[in-house]
Amino acid sequence: MSGRKEHVLDALYATIDGRRDADPEDSWTARLLASGVPKIARKTGEEAIETVVAALAEGPEALVAESADLLYHLLVLWSVRGVTPDMVWKELQQRKRVSGLDEKASRKP
């Protein structure tokens, strides 16, 4: 873990990744992982939309709940695609040293 304290998202990712070989009949996460990237990506997109709706039309409690759902599904998507939280944390660390406008301008169209 690169010498830092474990974050709740790291722990959740480890749990998700550990369910890879679990029985899909016994675990929602295993069932989701077995469903494949397109289904997981769609579910992540649905959760993103629900998060936006909660932000625009509901109270903070709904936004918190939908954000948790979104983060869970995003971590499942990372796991199935072989992306680890450390990979994302490193990317965020690199971006911290660059202006958001400069980073956006550097992306290829």
Side-chain angles (χ1 to χ4, degrees):
M1 287 283 306
S2 65
R4 63 179 173 74
K5 183 179 175 191
E6 185 176 50
H7 188 277
V8 67
L9 292 176
D10 295 306
L12 178 56
Y13 181 87
T15 299
I16 289 166
D17 211 42
R19 300 273 164 83
R20 193 174 291 280
D21 296 324
D23 184 349
E25 294 297 317
D26 297 332
S27 166
W28 166 250
T29 300
R31 186 178 306 170
L32 199 53
L33 287 166
S35 71
V37 174
K39 169 102 177 171
I40 298 167
R42 276 193 307 277
K43 186 64 178 160
T44 304
E46 290 169 15
E47 295 299 340
I49 291 167
E50 290 172 10
T51 301
V52 170
V53 169
L56 294 173
E58 300 176 35
E61 298 83 10
L63 179 56
V64 167
E66 293 300 343
S67 295
D69 289 347
L70 175 57
L71 288 170
Y72 163 78
H73 286 88
L74 182 59
L75 291 172
V76 172
L77 187 59
W78 289 358
S79 177
V80 78
R81 293 291 294 157
V83 172
T84 66
D86 270 345
M87 294 164 75
V88 177
W89 307 158
K90 286 176 186 170
E91 177 67 20
L92 289 171
Q93 272 302 111
Q94 289 175 346
R95 289 183 184 193
K96 193 168 116 175
R97 294 182 280 255
V98 178
S99 151
L101 294 175
D102 290 341
E103 190 280 328
K104 197 165 186 110
S106 73
R107 293 185 196 172
K108 295 178 181 160

